[in-house]
Amino acid sequence: MPVFTGSFPPQQVGNYIVLTPLADVYDLHADNAPGVEIQYVRVNIFTTGSYKLHATNIPPMLRNAGLTITERRYIGHDPEAGYHHYVIEVALAVDPH
């Protein structure tokens, strides 16, 4: 499935994913030094077929890649474009040093 970052494809394709960066957050400790950086990304899934298939298959792949799933939800169907829109929000903790 094609993946785009922060933008939609210039032409219509059957199924695609758009990654939208949401935030990079530092977890602070008592010494005010960042202990960990948490990066949040929204995985927008657009499909003309059944969104249930992707909603079932993609989360295990994200977890196996070391990502934490923080939210999943169905946004809706756009009858004009013909796409179902499903969102999975993920977080990744990285060492800020």
Side-chain angles (χ1 to χ4, degrees):
M1 189 179 307
V3 177
F4 302 89
T5 302
S7 64
F8 295 93
Q11 59 191 20
Q12 187 169 347
V13 294
N15 300 312
Y16 64 96
I17 292 174
V18 175
L19 304 177
T20 307
L22 298 176
D24 296 334
V25 180
Y26 289 117
D27 187 19
L28 296 177
H29 296 279
D31 62 359
N32 288 334
V36 67
E37 178 182 341
I38 303 173
Q39 300 172 350
Y40 293 93
V41 173
R42 179 175 293 141
V43 179
N44 297 281
I45 302 165
F46 295 92
T47 181
T48 55
S50 172
Y51 75 92
K52 288 283 206 179
L53 176 66
H54 303 297
T56 303
N57 292 337
I58 291 176
M61 291 187 281
L62 295 171
R63 286 192 301 273
N64 289 338
L67 300 168
T68 300
I69 295 174
T70 59
E71 185 176 353
R72 298 182 336 161
R73 68 181 178 275
Y74 179 71
I75 302 299
H77 180 261
D78 181 349
E80 189 174 310
Y83 285 103
H84 291 278
H85 183 187
Y86 191 79
V87 167
I88 303 171
E89 293 190 3
V90 297
L92 175 65
V94 296
D95 185 352
H97 301 68

